[in-house]
Structure formats: C-alpha cells, structure tokens
C-alpha cells in the first residue's frame, strides 16, 4: 500500500476522537475500514471485530489486535468561577499540560485551553502541577458552561494532523491508530488470497486503562495465536539504543519471558526470508500491551508484540514513519500466509 494512501487512512482514523471508555466515534470509523475486508465486522462491547481466512476447523486461529482508544481526561467538576477540573485517563505527562489546547465533549464540542501561569509571574522553579490543581479555561462562565458540559464528559487533546518531511507523519492518537492502519495494510495485501489459517481482527477498546477490551475480546474469540500490534519508543536524541527502535527501519518484534518465543522467532525468520527490515524489542518482563492479557487468556494463548517505532508517545504530537506502518503490514501479511500450525 502506498504511503500516501496510508497517510490518508491515518488522517481519517486520527481525526475522530476515541478516549478510553468513550471510543464509539473511532470504532465506527475503524469499522468502515474493516468491513472492506471483513464483511461480518461488527462492534461488540466496544471492540471492533471481524473475521476472514480459512473455514477449516483444524486450521490455526490467529488474532490480530490493535487498540482503538487514546489517552485523554475526564471532567470531574465545573468550578464556581467557570473553570473545568479533570482527571487523567491513561498515562499523561503532566509536564506538557500547561497551555495545551483541548476539546471538551459535552452536549457539543467545546474548545478549551489548560491554564498556564505567565513566566513573568513565576520564579521559574515551580513544581509540575498535580492533576487536581489543573484547570481548563473555555471562556464560559459557570452557569453557561453547566448547560453544555457535565462531570464524566471526555476531554481530548486538540493536536494537529500533518505529513512532515519525507515519510514522517504527526497526529494525536497515533498510539495506536497506526497499529490499526498496519493491520488494514496487511488485509489489503492478502484480500484475494487463500490463507492456511483463520484470522480474527480486533480493534480493541480501553487498552490505556488496563487492557480491558483485550481481556474480554480474546476470551470471546479464543484464538491459538495473538499478535498485539502497538507502538514502542522511537530513538530520539540521547535515548538508549537498547530501549528504543529507529524510525524507518521496520517493525520491532517483541522478545520477552511473557511472550511466545516460538512466535517471536517465527516472525523474525519470516521477516528475513521476505526481505522485510525489522528490529528487536527486548523486554525483561511483561510488555505493557494487550499481549499481556492474551498470553494468560483461558488456558493461555501464544502471544507476541509487533510494534511501530513512535516518538513523543502520549502527547498531542506523536510522530511515526509511514514506511514503518507499511513494513509492519507486510510482515503481518507474510506471517498469515505461512501460519499453518499453532
């Protein structure tokens, strides 16, 4: 799939909001894409699920997963002076919050700005504010705001979507909409092929708050093998080479005591045989992805991670290489073509 098509797909996927627990808009958009390859695709308990491939009951059953939700905040109150207080949904770096533009999803979408003290009025050594100290300014007074917004409403970052120099792409929610795009790229590659395995695709909900969608989805699907397609840390200035991957050099294949060594090695061999660049992602324990739920589902599922290098994770300006999305899709497609046994 050409990078411009991937960029257009990501623009559509990242334009819609889908904070953990409030993913319906993102799920509907992802469902439209998935139905192009899985006519039976549907939304079940927040997860987008569809199937394709072999109908042989003895064929191995592979689950391809990418989470559809994004980090955000939840409105906790509206103060008497018209400001909004909020709590975090998922891991947010509080250092980046002051002066960020946000969208508040009430009876209508409201624009807001997280309050920031001018540097002229500070000593320069203030501590990072706690979430209970953060306020959002919408311009409304309390009475008018309470007609439009209520506790429990979602707040998302108003980041921009843009194609950067070369094949770089920036947007909010690339974690993990780029994983969704990689799976769709794989499905596009195999759409006219006969596969030796049964495939279930899941775009799962609530990953950022404890991999909750993955837990119930994997139990319902009951696969033999599960691949969590997510993001990992792309190398930036001064970052450890052993803890990060390089953008533009292919997917990162997970190796961990909590993952299936057999699946990790198979993915690595298939990448080599097909000339697909790839990188190691070595983790000493669990992975912090949906694979942690898959590996202990029911009587255990052979799980592995395939990750796309991403810079500035959990910020409104995440960056990826579109080539990495394409190569991840190629690896997934090549794996499905070869998956003849569990």
């Amino acid at each position: 799939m050409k990078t411009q098509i991937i960029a257009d797909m990501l623009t559509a996927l990242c334009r819609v909001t889908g904070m953990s627990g409030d993913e319906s808009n993102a799920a509907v958009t992802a469902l439209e894409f998935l139905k192009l390859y899985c006519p039976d695709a549907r939304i079940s308990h927040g997860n987008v699920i569809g199937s394709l491939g072999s109908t042989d009951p003895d064929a191995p059953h592979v689950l391809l997963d990418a989470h559809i939700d994004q980090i955000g905040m939840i409105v906790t109150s509206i103060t008497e002076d018209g400001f909004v207080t909020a709590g975090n949904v998922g891991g947010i770096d509080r250092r980046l919050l002051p002066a960020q533009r946000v969208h508040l999803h009430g009876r209508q979408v409201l624009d807001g700005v997280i309050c920031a003290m001018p540097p002229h009025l500070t000593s320069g050594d203030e501590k990072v504010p706690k979430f209970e100290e953060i306020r959002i300014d919408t311009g409304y007074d309390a009475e008018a705001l309470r007609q439009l917004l209520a506790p429990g409403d979602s707040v998302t970052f108003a980041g921009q979507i843009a194609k950067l120099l070369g094949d770089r792409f920036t947007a909010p929610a690339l974690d993990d909409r780029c994983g969704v795009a990689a799976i769709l790229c794989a499905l596009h590659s195999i759409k006219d092929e006969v596969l030796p395995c049964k495939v279930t695709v899941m775009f799962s909900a609530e990953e950022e708050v404890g991999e909750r969608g993955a837990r119930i989805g994997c139990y319902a699907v009951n696969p033999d093998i599960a691949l969590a397609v997510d993001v990992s840390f792309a190398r930036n200035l001064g970052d450890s080479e052993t803890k990060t991957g390089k953008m533009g050099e292919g997917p990162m294949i997970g190796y961990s005591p909590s993952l299936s060594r057999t699946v990790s090695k198979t993915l690595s061999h298939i990448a080599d045989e097909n000339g697909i660049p790839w990188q190691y992602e070595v983790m000493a324990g669990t992975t912090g992805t949906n694979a942690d739920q898959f590996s202990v589902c029911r009587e255990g599922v052979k799980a592995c991670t395939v990750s796309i290098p991403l810079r500035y994770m959990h910020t409104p300006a995440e960056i990826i290489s579109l080539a990495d999305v394409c190569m991840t899709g190629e690896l997934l497609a090549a794996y499905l073509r070869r998956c003849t046994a569990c």
Side-chain angles (χ1 to χ4, degrees), residues 124-331:
D125 58 357
E126 279 73 20
K127 295 181 179 179
V128 177
K130 298 179 181 179
F131 258 102
E132 54 264 31
E133 299 170 332
I134 289 169
R135 299 291 183 272
I136 300 172
D137 187 351
T138 65
Y140 289 88
D141 62 32
E143 182 178 357
L145 189 56
R146 285 173 180 149
Q147 301 302 310
L148 301 172
L149 195 71
D153 286 338
S154 299
V155 182
T156 57
F157 291 111
Q160 289 191 318
I161 301 172
K163 196 169 183 297
L164 304 179
L165 186 65
D167 76 334
R168 301 296 166 87
F169 187 88
T170 183
L174 283 173
D175 176 9
D176 184 33
R177 309 285 165 79
C178 67
V180 173
I183 291 175
L184 292 170
C185 287
L187 300 184
H188 185 77
S189 294
I190 60 174
K191 63 179 180 178
D192 297 321
E193 300 179 21
V194 177
L195 297 176
C197 57
K198 177 182 178 182
V199 182
T200 296
V201 175
M202 180 167 71
F203 301 143
S204 52
E206 299 185 47
E207 189 269 354
E208 299 290 2
V209 290
E211 300 129 18
R212 293 163 56 84
R215 186 182 306 179
I216 62 172
C218 188
Y219 189 94
V221 171
N222 193 21
D224 302 305
I225 300 165
L227 302 182
V229 185
D230 210 323
V231 298
S232 190
F233 308 110
R235 195 162 307 156
N236 207 347
L237 293 174
D239 287 343
S240 167
E241 292 188 5
T242 61
K243 296 181 180 179
T244 57
K246 287 186 178 180
M247 294 176 66
E249 296 198 4
M252 302 169 68
I253 297 174
Y255 280 79
S256 165
S258 61
L259 299 176
S260 166
R261 185 61 59 95
T262 299
V263 177
S264 297
K265 288 186 174 181
T266 300
L267 284 165
S268 302
H269 293 325
I270 289 174
D272 288 337
E273 290 175 359
N274 287 271
I276 302 170
W278 66 279
Q279 309 172 68
Y280 283 98
E281 183 178 21
V282 180
M283 296 157 281
T286 54
T287 69
T289 72
N290 283 340
D292 296 336
Q293 299 298 329
F294 300 153
S295 62
V296 294
C297 183
R298 291 180 179 258
E299 295 178 341
V301 174
K302 292 182 178 179
C304 192
T305 58
V306 181
S307 301
I308 298 167
L310 174 144
R311 282 184 183 159
Y312 319 127
M313 191 180 297
H314 285 197
T315 76
E318 297 172 333
I319 296 178
I320 59 165
S321 159
L322 295 172
D324 286 331
V325 177
C326 183
M327 288 184 280
T328 301
E330 290 176 3
L331 176 58

Side-chain angles (χ1 to χ4, degrees), residues 13-73:
L13 288 168
C14 293
R15 182 180 287 130
V16 289
T17 56
M19 191 190 76
S20 292
D22 189 18
E23 299 98 339
S24 57
N25 289 335
V28 167
T29 297
L31 178 64
E32 292 174 357
F33 280 111
L34 186 56
K35 278 191 171 181
L36 297 174
Y37 309 103
C38 304
D40 70 341
R42 67 199 187 282
I43 297 175
S44 175
H45 297 285
N47 295 328
V48 181
I49 298 178
S51 60
L52 68 155
S54 176
T55 57
D56 182 348
D58 296 324
H61 185 181
V62 180
L63 172 65
L64 296 182
D65 165 80
H67 69 87
I68 195 67
D69 61 314
Q70 65 191 101
I71 60 166
M73 293 177 282

Side-chain angles (χ1 to χ4, degrees), residues 67-85:
H67 69 87
I68 195 67
D69 61 314
Q70 65 191 101
I71 60 166
M73 293 177 282
I74 188 168
V75 174
T76 53
S77 73
I78 298 170
T79 67
E80 292 303 319
D81 48 1
F83 292 98
V84 177
T85 67

